[in-house]
Amino acid sequence: MAVKPITEFIGAELTGVEYADLEHDDVFAEFVDALNQHELVIVRGIELTPHEQVELASRIGTPVPFVLERYRHPEVKEIMISSNEVRDNKPVGVARVGNFWHQDSSFVANPAPYTLLHGVNVPSTSGHTLFANAVDVYDRLPEEWKSKVEGRTALHSVAKRLRIRDEHVGYSVAEFKAWIDENHPKVEHPLVQTDPHTGKRFLYGAPEYLDSVVGFDHNENAAFFELLDRLIQDEQRVYEHRWTTNDLVVWKTRTTLHAATDVEPGVGRTVHRVSIEVG
């Protein structure tokens, strides 16, 4: 197996490896080390059954069943199906997942540290995934902002991205906000953290999941969020992954920022996702 960096700031592509190779302890250890050192690893065209995908994830940690049962794989509950396809007049999975910059589940107290995706039916012309490195974002913060965020915490919330469901029809804005506060309370995380694998500092938070930085006033929060958006979305520091069939893509959820791009009209896209807890 060969490990080739994709960019200078994030990602490594592994070549010369099949699923059977990853069953060997030494090869798998190299796979995990590449993941921990490069934040993101990609193996092109690796055929995996749903059960093999979960078995692979279970060697990294503990696969976590997706919270919404209707979007779980019918045979493998640990897999969440992300799909815009419809079969027998029913959605195959949940559509339009993660089409904004974020770090996975930062709005919960203990986010699963790894995410593993397998491309089942992926177009080559759209539905790409953008990746940025939270270490790189911190490194590019102006020194004055590094001083301002040092030692601070931030409140994370899913409120900006919650979808209105049938049971919310008729709610006033105030009632819906109260429902969010009760069912999805804000959580607090250190804004600057240290990656245990590399010893590098990184910025934990993206504006769509950030409510506020504790101790910042409204103007400071607005200025900081605007700066974060510019740094995260800098085209020179973003890797665009153009999917091919059976791509395996795995990342560290705290240090890897990502966003899905739109799928062109009339084109189907399905990927299988597994969240992995450790410890």
Side-chain angles (χ1 to χ4, degrees), residues 72-83:
R72 292 176 183 171
H73 190 282
E75 299 175 4
V76 185
K77 65 180 180 179
E78 293 87 356
I79 289 178
M80 183 269 275
I81 302 178
S82 173
S83 177

Side-chain angles (χ1 to χ4, degrees), residues 22-237:
L22 291 171
E23 293 184 300
H24 298 286
D25 290 344
D26 57 339
V27 176
F28 186 77
E30 190 175 358
F31 169 84
V32 173
D33 182 65
L35 171 59
N36 286 330
Q37 296 302 315
H38 295 274
E39 323 307 330
L40 162 75
V41 295
I42 293 165
V43 184
R44 295 279 191 180
I46 184 169
E47 294 188 9
L48 295 173
T49 67
H51 289 284
E52 287 173 338
Q53 181 179 353
V54 171
E55 193 280 333
L56 181 62
S58 69
R59 296 184 65 197
I60 299 174
T62 302
V64 184
F66 187 55
V67 63
L68 299 178
E69 291 188 23
R70 65 182 178 275
Y71 296 130
R72 292 176 183 171
H73 190 282
E75 299 175 4
V76 185
K77 65 180 180 179
E78 293 87 356
I79 289 178
M80 183 269 275
I81 302 178
S82 173
S83 177
N84 65 351
E85 298 186 84
V86 176
R87 294 175 191 160
D88 299 325
N89 295 317
K90 294 181 180 180
V92 171
V94 57
R96 296 184 75 248
V97 175
N99 60 330
F100 55 92
W101 283 100
H102 63 287
Q103 286 146 310
D104 283 332
S105 302
S106 72
F107 53 85
V108 301
N110 296 295
Y114 297 99
T115 296
L116 186 153
L117 292 185
H118 190 232
V120 177
N121 177 34
V122 288
S124 60
T125 53
S126 63
H128 314 311
T129 306
L130 308 176
F131 292 98
N133 187 345
V135 173
D136 183 56
V137 171
Y138 175 77
D139 287 345
R140 289 184 288 119
L141 275 179
E143 289 302 322
E144 65 173 302
W145 278 104
K146 283 184 179 178
S147 296
K148 286 174 70 72
V149 301
E150 184 64 35
R152 292 193 182 272
T153 60
L155 297 176
H156 296 237
S157 171
V158 73
K160 297 175 188 176
R161 284 293 166 175
L162 277 178
R163 300 179 183 184
I164 306 298
R165 301 174 186 164
D166 291 343
E167 60 264 33
H168 303 140
V169 173
Y171 277 24
S172 68
V173 172
E175 288 171 330
F176 188 55
K177 285 183 176 179
W179 181 89
I180 293 173
D181 289 341
E182 180 179 352
N183 291 275
H184 300 279
K186 299 179 182 69
V187 299
E188 192 168 348
H189 295 293
L191 189 55
V192 179
Q193 301 186 18
T194 300
D195 184 279
H197 305 288
T198 64
K200 296 178 180 178
R201 307 189 84 196
F202 65 94
L203 195 68
Y204 192 54
E208 289 300 302
Y209 280 163
L210 281 176
D211 174 82
S212 59
V213 176
V214 177
F216 279 10
D217 62 25
H218 175 78
N219 290 335
E220 288 174 312
N221 275 305
F224 183 57
F225 288 3
E226 192 274 336
L227 172 62
L228 278 188
D229 272 332
R230 289 204 320 267
L231 293 175
I232 292 168
Q233 298 180 44
D234 183 344
E235 292 182 356
Q236 301 301 313
R237 312 301 291 181

